[in-house]
Amino acid sequence: MSWVEARNLPRHVGIIMDGNGRWATLRGEDRQAGHKAGSAAVRRIVRVSRRLGISALTLYAFSEQNWARPQGEVEALMGLLEEFLKSERDEILDNGIRLVAIGDTGRLPEFVRESLDPLARASSENEKMTLALALSYGAREEIAHVARALATAAIAGQIDPTEITAKLIASRIPSLSVGEPDLILRTGGEQRLSNFLLYGAANAELVFSDRLWPDFDEADLFDAIHTYQTRTAAYSPHDESRRG
Ligand code: IPE
Ligand code: IPE
Ligand code: MG
């Protein structure tokens, strides 16, 4: 397991949790079993991140594009999400974690919203760590949403189009309300962003792990943070001037 320095921790880490299906297939089980094991990995990694002192963790749990998966798989994922929100409620509140959801959450089934919305409200004042769940999330869709809002405001005469800068757009993007991601990590061996945090990815360090998400543990997270720290050792990653 790698050493992690307490200083120079990434403040905001985004994780593309990939590889559940392959994990299950390798064991001769159905994909659902992989998602269930993936859910246990989420619990582990949230706990470790909170203990480490990471200030924001954004987890890609369900993409806008994942709605196109077979209905049975979508239902299983929604069921696991509800179960996660119920079983983690006390731990989230007791540990000062603020839970937020990013994405088109209006598309989520009612039974998920009934667990999600009250927990988001109850934890909204917590300050130890923000856990952002990307649900029905797509970065292009998120940018389009901001573009529509800005166009509407411009037509209503509330903003001047010449004032629309990259910085203004960033300030309106929900996934960046906790700051830009310093580190984006993808498990499962694929090396692509799959529509995750595209606007915020501009300056992020990208780290790819071959570990399948259900197997991802504390040591793997430390390895990824160690890689981040090795790469950013030469400069101060939180230096705003670098952000351009
Ligand atoms: C990631 O694992 C979980 C979600 C996308 C919900 P996958 O289900 O994509 O697993 P693989 O990539 O098929 O192994
Ligand atoms: C990305 O994984 C989405 C999540 C982890 C929720 P996918 O498995 O859905 O992405 P692709 O299909 O490999 O791009
Ligand atoms: Mg996948």
Side-chain angles (χ1 to χ4, degrees):
M1 182 150 105
S2 305
W3 286 99
V4 158
E5 287 177 75
R7 57 176 192 91
N8 193 19
L9 271 180
R11 287 190 295 204
H12 176 189
V13 177
I15 307 184
I16 303 170
M17 309 182 291
D18 195 27
N20 293 354
R22 277 163 284 163
W23 183 89
T25 304
L26 281 170
R27 296 169 166 243
E29 295 180 49
D30 60 14
R31 294 178 60 84
Q32 240 154 284
H35 295 313
K36 197 168 165 59
S39 186
V42 172
R43 291 185 176 90
R44 265 199 314 270
I45 295 307
V46 169
R47 219 166 272 168
V48 177
S49 302
R50 163 72 178 79
R51 217 182 58 222
L52 258 178
I54 285 168
S55 70
L57 183 65
T58 300
L59 299 180
Y60 204 6
F62 192 84
S63 74
E64 186 71 34
Q65 288 63 37
N66 288 153
W67 288 114
R69 292 195 179 193
Q71 196 189 336
E73 185 174 353
V74 170
E75 278 167 13
L77 283 163
M78 291 300 143
L80 283 167
L81 177 58
E82 183 203 19
E83 201 181 299
F84 173 85
L85 292 165
K86 284 192 166 143
S87 68
E88 298 312 287
R89 184 184 163 90
D90 289 348
E91 172 141 1
I92 286 172
L93 293 174
D94 293 348
N95 285 286
I97 296 172
R98 182 171 74 105
L99 182 108
V100 300
I102 53 167
D104 187 5
T105 54
R107 279 187 84 176
L108 297 171
E110 196 63 34
F111 68 87
V112 169
R113 297 288 304 269
E114 280 168 9
S115 303
L116 180 64
D117 297 344
L119 183 52
R121 274 196 302 275
S123 66
S124 66
E125 304 287 315
N126 289 349
E127 291 177 343
K128 294 288 187 204
M129 182 176 89
T130 298
L131 172 60
L133 295 181
L135 300 170
S136 189
Y137 175 86
R140 286 182 165 182
E141 288 78 3
E142 182 181 48
I143 295 165
H145 177 84
V146 172
R148 276 194 299 278
L150 290 173
T152 306
I155 288 168
Q158 291 156 354
I159 53 163
D160 177 347
T162 62
E163 287 165 11
I164 299 176
T165 58
K167 202 171 165 183
L168 177 74
I169 294 170
S171 75
R172 303 284 184 106
I173 289 195
S175 61
L176 303 183
S177 65
V178 292
E180 293 189 25
D182 302 295
L183 165 62
I184 295 178
L185 162 68
R186 181 171 187 146
T187 67
E190 307 291 351
Q191 304 198 351
R192 55 174 174 268
L193 290 175
S194 298
N195 207 15
F196 185 54
L197 303 184
L198 298 183
Y199 203 88
N203 296 301
E205 290 295 335
L206 308 181
V207 174
F208 300 98
S209 164
D210 286 333
R211 193 83 71 207
L212 301 172
W213 177 251
D215 289 331
F216 198 80
D217 64 11
E218 176 172 358
D220 298 315
L221 183 68
F222 274 49
D223 285 349
I225 294 175
H226 178 78
T227 301
Y228 166 87
Q229 293 187 327
T230 309
R231 289 194 205 156
T232 57
Y235 62 86
S236 170
H238 300 315
D239 174 2
E240 290 305 319
S241 64
R242 191 185 144 254
R243 301 287 192 193

